[in-house]
Amino acid sequence: MRLPVLLAALVAVATCTETFVGHQVLRVVPQSHEELQKVQELQDLEHLQLDFWLAPRGLGLPVDIRVPFPSVQAVKAHLEASGVSYSIMIEDVQALLDEEQVEMLRSSRQLPLDTDTFNYEAYHTIDEIYNFMDMLVAENPNLVSKLEIGRSTENRPLYVLKFSTGGTNRPAIWIDTGIHSREWVTQASGVWFAKKIVQDHANNEGVASILKTMDIFLEIVTNPDGFAFTHTTNRLWRKTRSKHSGSICVGVDPNRNWDAGFGEAGASGNPCTETYQGPYPNSEPEVKSIVDFVKSHGNIKAFVSIHSYSQLLLYPYGYTTTPAPDQQELHEVSAKAVAALSSLYGTQYKYGSIITTIYRASGTTVDWTYNQGIKYSFTFELRDTGRYGFLLPAKQILPTAEETWLALKVIMEHARDNAY
Amino acid sequence: DIDDVGHKYYLELELEDVLDKDRAVSCTAEVLYPLGSRTSAPDVQLTVQGELRSTEEADKEFYNRIRSLEKELVAENIPDSHGNVPPELEPIHLLAWVASGYVSWQNSTENTKFHLAQVKHVKQVKRSDEDLQFDYVLLLHEMVSQELLPWEVTVLWHPQHGARVSQ
């Protein structure tokens, strides 16, 4: 009879599989000498295999006992029969141990448990950012939802966060980051913007007033295939990862693929170049999904596409020198936005139309959105001006996001106060 | 416009010391971009009005440190993906900027804008004379085309003789 038990014990020891399934931790606070004595009696019952985490010390002092599963009924019966009250501190010790294991693994890999422990001052992988989005939605289900607007060439989901306090198809603001995958400070800023919107709303400050009448859409990883590639293979990859027939070269410049001056000067027809426009407008699913979204929404009033680097705030056009009809207003808004940005850390920005300020570029995002009637169409080029360029040190993420947010607020407030 | 010759630009510049933000030195420059399809470097005449900060001590410390290395210095990806530059590699990074300035100048037209994107690889080559030699593979970012152009450059440097670049 004893042999199987001995064998089992040996096996358990050999494989380190001591288990605490069903073990409970009970707490007794003896109020009288009789109660204290009843508890002390338990200590002598060796066969119960009780483990006193807090031994009996005196009246009014807690006694904590880990009770193995086979003894639980007996111990409870003993206490109840003597009229000694107890509480169950831990229902199942193994469950708690399992949870702790998970948490320990998480913290050793530094996985955040929520958006408050997320590290905004570091660059993250696509999985970490997608996990962040899910946590944000889970923590704020009444404000934030996640929309899948399409799939990338490599079949990665294209996610947009929607921030809304209600209404139906309210006038909206769109912000995208990471359309060029190597511009890492933009995705990192996008993550910070998402959290900031939630915080402002909770504290009823900042953009809370905007959310009363408008929705905000935020696409953080606009080019997920490119972004994954910058992590695994080439940190300085810019384009999508599509393969179009007739070339060994990969990728289309998603900021030359829009249907505004498509294929004209300011883009390249050579698939092996960084500004390759693609075989036709919206050939890239990353672009087409936004086009479809904007058209079907029909009520977007401001559209901001964020890039780095150069420290510029730009408005249409890039494909033509003809000034945009709203040039003057856009210029004034830009001046105000840049002033707000600079007020925080003194970062200097230039502003103007794309073609006069940076270079001729055709098929760009905001030229298309502007021609769709979205008057407040802007492109940012964030920090820096070339010292680190795309490889901006992580410690600049926070100041960059903070100052950019001030400029974004100017644009959002203007859109709210100048309905059209 | 200068007929049959090219385009001349007259510039007034402020040189800001990256390592000492409060210091700025004024300069004037004349840049002549030559006409024609023959690509040759623009002609540059520069006048510095004021004094550049002395870096004698730091130069000496760096020179002695590299000279006393047992194994030749080798490094890659400066800055790394997260923008980090280890402090002991900062002078290597700065020297790379000097080299990239030379390459940019040699390849500039009125429609280019170059920045050093990253030092892909650098290898020290020990020499029998007094110079330090570093063989670089630099990645230059060209703003208009958005291309990243790899360039192999060799830099010779000495505290008193300064930097000399050969391609």
Side-chain angles (χ1 to χ4, degrees), chain A residues 33-48:
Chain A
H33 286 289
E34 286 79 28
E35 290 193 357
L36 189 55
Q37 201 184 2
K38 284 290 165 194
V39 174
Q40 280 164 335
E41 272 169 26
L42 284 172
Q43 284 183 296
D44 299 328
L45 302 173
E46 268 184 42
H47 67 282
L48 292 176

Side-chain angles (χ1 to χ4, degrees), chain A residues 123 182 184 235-236 238 272-275 309-310 359 385-388 390-394, chain B residues 18-19 79-83 85 90 97 115-118 139 141 143-148:
Chain A
Y123 291 113
R182 62 190 178 195
W184 274 21
R235 170 63 178 82
L236 294 170
R238 164 186 171 91
C272 301
T273 57
E274 297 282 25
T275 54
Y309 59 92
S310 284
Y359 41 61
T385 53
R387 174 143 186 233
Y388 290 96
F390 301 120
L391 306 179
L392 195 71
Chain B
V18 160
L19 301 177
D80 67 16
S81 284
H82 297 235
V85 179
E90 187 59 34
W97 267 98
H115 293 285
L116 176 64
Q118 193 181 41
L139 275 180
H141 175 229
M143 192 63 74
V144 180
S145 66
Q146 287 293 323
E147 297 294 333
L148 286 163

Side-chain angles (χ1 to χ4, degrees), chain A residues 156-214:
Chain A
R156 290 185 175 81
L158 300 166
Y159 289 133
V160 173
L161 291 177
K162 176 183 180 183
F163 301 85
S164 177
T165 58
T168 312
N169 197 238
R170 280 182 175 169
I173 294 149
W174 167 284
I175 303 169
D176 65 73
T177 54
I179 193 170
H180 285 145
S181 38
R182 62 190 178 195
E183 298 164 8
W184 274 21
V185 72
T186 69
Q187 297 96 333
S189 295
V191 168
W192 188 89
F193 297 155
K195 180 63 172 171
K196 182 64 175 164
I197 294 170
V198 161
Q199 282 174 332
D200 274 9
H201 178 259
N203 299 324
N204 199 26
E205 58 187 14
V207 296
S209 59
I210 291 171
L211 287 167
K212 289 198 169 84
T213 54
M214 299 182 84

Side-chain angles (χ1 to χ4, degrees), chain B residues 84-116:
Chain B
N84 296 320
V85 179
E88 68 274 12
L89 290 180
E90 187 59 34
I92 302 289
H93 187 214
L94 293 171
L95 215 50
W97 267 98
V98 175
S100 74
Y102 178 81
V103 174
S104 304
W105 168 36
Q106 292 298 303
N107 293 280
S108 280
T109 71
E110 286 156 284
N111 297 303
T112 59
K113 185 166 174 177
F114 291 102
H115 293 285
L116 176 64

Side-chain angles (χ1 to χ4, degrees), chain A residues 94-113:
Chain A
Q94 190 59 44
L96 202 61
L97 287 173
D98 292 343
E99 224 183 278
E100 189 184 45
Q101 264 280 67
V102 171
E103 250 180 68
M104 275 169 61
L105 277 175
R106 266 183 164 172
S107 56
S108 74
R109 270 193 269 128
Q110 282 157 338
L111 266 180
L113 301 174

